[in-house]
Amino acid sequence: MSGRLYVIGTGPGNPAQTTPEALSAVADAQEFYGYGPYLDRLTLRGDQIRHVSDNREELDRAKVALQRAAAGVNVCVVSGGDPGVFAMAAAVCEAIDHGPAEWRGVDLVVVPGITAMLAVAARIGAPLGHDFCAISLSDNLKPWPLIERRLRAVAEAGLVIALYNPISKARPWQLGKAFDIVRAILPADTAIIFGRAAGRPDERMTVARLADAQASQADMATCVIIGSAETRVIAREGRPDLVYTPRFIREEAK
Amino acid sequence: MSGRLYVIGTGPGNPAQTTPEALSAVADAQEFYGYGPYLDRLTLRGDQIRHVSDNREELDRAKVALQRAAAGVNVCVVSGGDPGVFAMAAAVCEAIDHGPAEWRGVDLVVVPGITAMLAVAARIGAPLGHDFCAISLSDNLKPWPLIERRLRAVAEAGLVIALYNPISKARPWQLGKAFDIVRAILPADTAIIFGRAAGRPDERMTVARLADAQASQADMATCVIIGSAETRVIAREGRPDLVYTPRFIREEAK
């Protein structure tokens, strides 16, 4: 009989943002597959087994987890944030789609989590209070010209933009190029949020004007939120600025 | 001395999806402001006071909550889902932006939650596994022609689209019109997900082809997810279809 395959999200790293549903899944699983730093967020019993793999080996990890679940083991695949947002749930579905028929019989349970942009937005106000989008800058999964076209389209359409995977050693220039693209469309004082490690001890939230924003203000643990022309910054004495995007637009834009 | 103003999200309604952080905020607050069905999700002590208001009175509710917090009371404003996504966090920021100076001194704490599109996506596979956006169809907050332009822009750009507030008695035709708009852009067999009341006892998940999708399949408790041309449906014997959007696009689209 097939085991159950949980695909969970821990949230961004603050244990108080991990849901009881995710903890129940952890309690019910025997084997755990994931990137080491995400597995390190779990408290496991002595009889539970960790299988650490590199962050780039998502499809291989999904296949091994499906094999084990098909063999009758209750397995847990662990993502940070939400597993459905640029994370393991799509890799597991992809493996099922192209894998042996028996993998379709596995009892798959995806457990949602707080994704980075929501945690960052909460720390800074309400920048996602109006229409918004989430775009990954990881161009090993799609061609860079497509990313450029998408950035132009959503900036012109007035959506706030949350950028995932903004920068890494292998992708040093993409975020700077993304800022250049939106600079041609949005006002110079559009708010840019660098939301690093939201809710973790090493959290760092920075707000910049688009004209001044530098790619070097982000690292791999950062979710970058690019405001729209409507996004507003509220200065507060003795407290960090609040950034929010109003719920309404009174007049037809442009 | 100013009280603290929490703005929390309960998640979509499954208590196992409410974070410990949200429950801590509830424990710390004396007065609660929100739409009745969201307040009903909380278990309150006898000394905690509920102030129920209609779902459309967001700005007035925010102002009253700020007044009470400024007067020294610990207050909790309650949203379903995530408070930063088409919900109370933006209304509170808006009230601060245009309100008396003392409201800027209130200790504002926004607590993120699982927003509807994440819960729906988890129940159905991984439709948000690639670039996506969230658009509210509520045209009392913005002009309908702007919504149409945004729908065209994001569908043409290849983003999966999560529609919030898709239909109500006051907005009976907008969702049908939205389907018409994307039908002119996306393939007839694009997957449409009607995700109703995810995680609640009255949950109902339906997948339709774009050509067949009807606005009447949605109600006020539904989050509609419109796939992209890349979104795939996996048939499974004895189990519901899985829907996912692959993480990668190998070739330049169009």
Side-chain angles (χ1 to χ4, degrees), chain B residues 109-126:
Chain B
V109 178
V110 181
V111 177
I114 305 288
T115 184
M117 65 180 167
L118 300 186
V120 169
R123 295 293 287 156
I124 210 89

Side-chain angles (χ1 to χ4, degrees), chain A residues 6-11 17-29 32 42 76-79 81 83 110-114, chain B residues 14 16-18 114:
Chain A
Y6 294 102
V7 185
I8 72 162
T10 63
Q17 290 178 349
T18 304
T19 67
E21 187 181 30
L23 296 179
S24 296
V26 169
D28 192 43
F32 295 79
L42 308 180
C76 187
V77 171
V78 181
S79 284
V110 181
V111 177
I114 304 289
Chain B
N14 174 352
Q17 290 178 349
T18 304
I114 305 288

Side-chain angles (χ1 to χ4, degrees), chain B residues 55-187:
Chain B
N55 207 14
R56 289 161 297 183
E57 294 164 7
E58 295 185 328
L59 190 58
D60 287 342
R61 181 192 303 147
K63 289 176 181 172
V64 173
L66 280 159
Q67 274 166 0
R68 295 296 293 155
V73 179
N74 281 356
V75 171
C76 186
V77 171
V78 181
S79 283
D82 179 90
V85 176
F86 308 119
M88 286 304 299
V92 168
C93 289
E94 185 187 323
I96 293 171
D97 198 7
H98 303 292
E102 62 169 356
W103 288 1
R104 299 184 183 215
V106 167
D107 185 10
L108 175 66
V109 178
V110 181
V111 177
I114 305 288
T115 184
M117 65 180 167
L118 300 186
V120 169
R123 295 293 287 156
I124 210 89
L128 306 179
H130 195 79
D131 300 338
F132 65 93
C133 64
I135 291 180
S136 169
L137 285 193
S138 179
D139 63 349
N140 60 343
L141 294 174
K142 61 198 170 203
W144 178 255
L146 178 63
I147 298 177
E148 289 200 1
R149 251 204 335 274
R150 288 182 178 170
L151 289 171
R152 278 193 200 94
V154 293
E156 284 170 356
L159 272 64
V160 171
I161 306 166
L163 295 177
Y164 281 70
N165 307 313
I167 201 161
S168 73
K169 279 182 190 166
R171 292 190 310 279
W173 55 264
Q174 284 80 348
L175 180 59
K177 181 73 183 162
F179 285 149
D180 288 344
I181 288 166
V182 299
R183 276 190 192 109
I185 298 164
L186 297 171

Side-chain angles (χ1 to χ4, degrees), chain A residues 97 131 142 149 232 244, chain B residues 97 131 142 232 244 252:
Chain A
D97 198 8
D131 300 337
K142 61 198 170 203
R149 254 207 327 280
R232 293 177 58 87
Y244 80 104
Chain B
D97 198 7
D131 300 338
K142 61 198 170 203
R232 294 177 58 86
Y244 80 105
E252 175 75 12

Side-chain angles (χ1 to χ4, degrees), chain A residues 69-220:
Chain A
V73 179
N74 281 355
V75 171
C76 187
V77 171
V78 181
S79 284
D82 178 88
V85 176
F86 309 118
M88 285 303 300
V92 168
C93 289
E94 185 186 322
I96 294 172
D97 198 8
H98 302 292
E102 62 169 356
W103 289 0
R104 298 184 184 216
V106 166
D107 185 11
L108 175 66
V109 179
V110 181
V111 177
I114 304 289
T115 185
M117 65 181 167
L118 300 185
V120 169
R123 295 293 287 157
I124 211 87
L128 307 179
H130 195 78
D131 300 337
F132 65 93
C133 65
I135 291 180
S136 168
L137 285 193
S138 179
D139 63 350
N140 61 343
L141 294 173
K142 61 198 170 203
W144 179 255
L146 178 63
I147 298 177
E148 289 200 0
R149 254 207 327 280
R150 288 182 177 170
L151 289 171
R152 278 192 200 97
V154 294
E156 284 171 355
L159 272 63
V160 171
I161 306 167
L163 295 178
Y164 281 71
N165 307 313
I167 202 162
S168 73
K169 278 183 191 165
R171 293 190 310 280
W173 56 264
Q174 284 80 348
L175 179 59
K177 182 72 184 164
F179 286 149
D180 288 344
I181 288 167
V182 299
R183 276 189 191 110
I185 299 164
L186 296 171
D189 59 357
T190 301
I192 308 293
I193 299 161
F194 295 92
R196 184 182 186 284
R200 301 206 293 270
D202 53 341
E203 173 182 300
R204 190 177 65 233
M205 297 286 147
T206 312
V207 180
R209 295 170 67 243
L210 175 56
D212 307 325
Q214 302 286 336
S216 58
Q217 294 176 267
D219 66 9
M220 282 182 64

Side-chain angles (χ1 to χ4, degrees), chain A residues 49-94:
Chain A
I49 301 169
R50 284 164 49 114
H51 295 275
V52 173
S53 48
D54 189 87
N55 207 14
R56 289 161 297 182
E57 295 165 5
E58 295 185 328
L59 190 57
D60 288 342
R61 181 192 303 148
K63 289 177 182 171
V64 173
L66 279 159
Q67 275 166 358
R68 294 297 292 155
V73 179
N74 281 355
V75 171
C76 187
V77 171
V78 181
S79 284
D82 178 88
V85 176
F86 309 118
M88 285 303 300
V92 168
C93 289
E94 185 186 322

